[in-house]
Amino acid sequence: MSKPSYDVVIAGAGIVGTACAAELSESGLRVAVVEPKMVGGGATAAGMGHLAVMDDSPDQFALTRYSQLLWKALVPELPDDAEYLPCGSLWIAADDFEMAEVHRKFAYYRDRNVPVEVLDSQSLAEAEPNLRPGMAGALLMSDDSVVYSPNAARYLAEKAKRYGADFRLHQSLTSFTKNYAHLSNGTILNTEWILLANGTAAANLVPGLQMQPRKGHLLITDRYPGFVNHQLIELGYLKSAHSVSTDSVAFNVQPRRTGQLLIGSSRQYGTNNPAVESAMLSKMLARAVEYMPNIGTLQSIRTWTGFRAATPDKLPLIGPHPDFDHLYLATGHEGLGISTSLATAKILADQLLHRSPSIAFAPYLPARVMQHA
Ligand SMILES: Cc1cc2nc3c(=O)[nH]c(=O)nc-3n(C[C@H](O)[C@H](O)[C@H](O)COP(=O)(O)OP(=O)(O)OC[C@H]3O[C@@H](n4cnc5c(N)ncnc54)[C@H](O)[C@@H]3O)c2cc1C
């Protein structure tokens, strides 16, 4: 049989698909990317673009920190319109109970060489004067940053093209068999591997994949430079992000380089309806006002929703499908896909090219969430 035209056909040109396209094509593979809409127009356009390190589990920490260091290395080549902002994050403790968590996190990160600092009540008030007075303190994570993810995805797509990747927009992957990718316009691409980086839609192509959409709302304001200086997240966010059944909101505000503020965040299961829900939005904004009383006086420009691809254990799916050696997955990133896109791409390249892995990839293998017939 003749050599396939492509080594890998990637479904999806969000931040994950474009990161994979850039990494795999730079590594010498022949790559095609299939995308029905536009580059970076899915969950990637709906997200906040917070490049964060998290420690819900050792495996989440390993992936987020590795990816954060990859983002830092990428910064010098990012275009200005990627709006990279090294603002750091502040995890806000409202009371002494949450302050104990600040100290626990501080020790965890310090022991793993992540730059981190504890702010007491007064230092926090000086760092963020628009917070309500009397907060207990905060954890400052100075390596965290912010990026405008649709433009970062566009940059990664351009980079992939420079290394020879072939982008096929306005077409979707409809089905596949060993060595063949079938597209919606009838084209059949001959390929060694298929990589599903199509976010929540991957579940439509892989029976038994345990992943569900988790809706989120965001609001962007007019320009108020200096109103907030860091990405601000309440420590209670962890409770809401961990909940696997109930709807939840948390105080989460981000400064943009434009001077605008992004206000989040909400999490909902059990709906595919993208409509902005005024009840959920009101709840989210009420939480923001609780933490920042003057935020309610700012002018809103736009609100929108998006869907996170949520797995049962909150870790993404990166690697081969257990039953089909030609099929790979790069999805299930929930609320951290922008943060972890670059690490995802490295891990896939390590797997496909049999390189020695930069971090252990066993915790992210898809087999753990597959229901077998
Ligand atoms: C409200 C909200 C806030 C968030 N905030 C953050 C944050 O601050 N930091 C962070 O790291 N993450 C955040 N996230 C999560 C992040 O946005 C996602 O994890 C990430 O964008 C996922 O990227 P992706 O490339 O996997 O998916 P997507 O961006 O959804 O891309 C998938 C692409 O696949 C295409 N596609 C679908 N079906 C097919 C098919 N059959 N064939 C080919 N292509 C197909 C789609 O058109 C789409 O373009 C947030 C998410 C939401 C909803």
Side-chain angles (χ1 to χ4, degrees):
M1 191 179 141
S2 63
K3 203 167 160 16
S5 332
Y6 295 106
D7 294 307
V8 52
V9 169
I10 301 176
I15 195 77
V16 173
T18 55
C20 291
E23 180 66 31
L24 296 176
S25 55
E26 188 177 2
S27 301
L29 296 181
R30 294 160 307 155
V31 172
V33 180
V34 181
E35 166 59 56
K37 295 179 184 155
M38 58 192 282
V39 171
T44 297
M48 259 189 157
H50 180 208
L51 302 179
V53 167
M54 304 271 284
D55 69 334
D56 295 2
S57 66
D59 300 324
Q60 189 192 57
F61 170 75
L63 190 69
T64 51
R65 179 61 174 160
Y66 175 42
S67 211
Q68 185 176 67
L69 296 174
L70 294 171
W71 274 107
K72 278 184 139 210
L74 188 73
V75 166
E77 61 181 89
L78 280 178
D80 195 53
D81 70 3
E83 293 178 19
Y84 177 76
L85 184 68
C87 56
S89 303
L90 282 172
W91 286 90
I92 314 285
D95 52 30
D96 290 346
F97 180 75
E98 290 183 355
M99 205 56 195
E101 178 63 5
V102 162
H103 288 290
R104 188 203 62 76
K105 281 177 173 292
F106 171 77
Y108 183 90
Y109 289 126
R110 180 204 53 204
D111 293 350
R112 288 158 182 79
N113 298 318
V114 180
V116 72
E117 203 181 313
V118 174
L119 302 192
D120 63 14
S121 181
Q122 190 184 333
S123 318
L124 175 60
E126 284 162 14
E128 295 292 347
N130 281 307
L131 278 173
R132 97 172 169 246
M135 294 290 177
L139 184 75
L140 171 61
M141 303 200 54
S142 46
D143 269 4
D144 284 5
S145 58
V146 163
V147 77
Y148 183 51
S149 32
N151 286 353
R154 264 200 290 282
Y155 171 71
L156 291 167
E158 290 307 317
K159 183 172 177 175
K161 285 182 202 165
R162 284 202 300 277
Y163 284 105
D166 181 9
F167 275 68
R168 292 166 178 258
L169 300 184
H170 314 298
Q171 296 164 44
S172 55
L173 180 74
T174 51
S175 64
F176 47 83
T177 50
K178 190 167 171 61
N179 289 128
Y180 296 103
H182 298 251
L183 310 194
S184 47
N185 67 350
T187 304
I188 299 174
L189 302 178
N190 192 210
T191 180
E192 183 79 30
W193 298 295
I194 307 270
L195 172 59
L196 298 183
N198 54 340
T200 52
N204 304 334
L205 292 169
V206 183
L209 186 62
Q210 287 183 284
M211 198 173 68
Q212 40 175 331
R214 202 173 186 192
K215 185 174 178 178
H217 287 73
L218 284 180
L219 177 151
I220 192 160
T221 70
D222 206 346
R223 294 166 194 248
Y224 301 97
F227 191 90
V228 299
N229 302 309
H230 304 82
Q231 174 98 22
L232 302 177
I233 318 124
E234 64 162 295
L235 268 167
Y237 173 90
L238 298 173
K239 284 176 231 146
S240 79
H242 286 168
S243 149
V244 287
S245 49
T246 51
D247 296 353
S248 60
V249 296
F251 170 69
N252 187 348
V253 173
Q254 176 181 95
R256 304 294 319 190
R257 226 176 57 190
T258 54
Q260 292 169 290
L261 266 61
L262 265 186
I263 305 177
S265 63
S266 70
R267 282 180 150 79
Q268 288 168 273
Y269 281 119
T271 173
N272 287 312
N273 182 351
V276 170
E277 296 167 48
S278 55
M280 188 51 78
L281 193 63
S282 305
K283 218 168 140 188
M284 189 177 93
L285 295 178
R287 191 68 178 166
V289 171
E290 257 180 65
Y291 276 75
M292 285 200 135
N294 289 333
I295 210 166
T297 64
L298 308 186
Q299 182 66 44
S300 154
I301 300 278
R302 191 165 79 86
T303 52
W304 67 89
T305 67
F307 291 89
R308 308 167 180 95
T311 61
D313 62 5
K314 316 238 163 29
L315 290 174
L317 311 175
I318 309 172
H321 187 287
D323 301 330
F324 308 105
D325 56 7
H326 61 284
L327 177 62
Y328 278 69
L329 302 181
T331 182
H333 294 79
E334 219 271 7
L336 285 170
I338 300 157
S339 301
T340 56
S341 52
L342 300 184
T344 298
K346 283 276 184 209
I347 289 172
L348 275 158
D350 291 346
Q351 293 171 343
L352 292 173
L353 296 164
H354 303 290
R355 301 191 307 211
S356 83
S358 315
I359 60 168
F361 54 67
Y364 320 111
L365 290 174
R368 70 186 199 282
V369 300
M370 293 293 176
Q371 280 169 345
H372 296 278

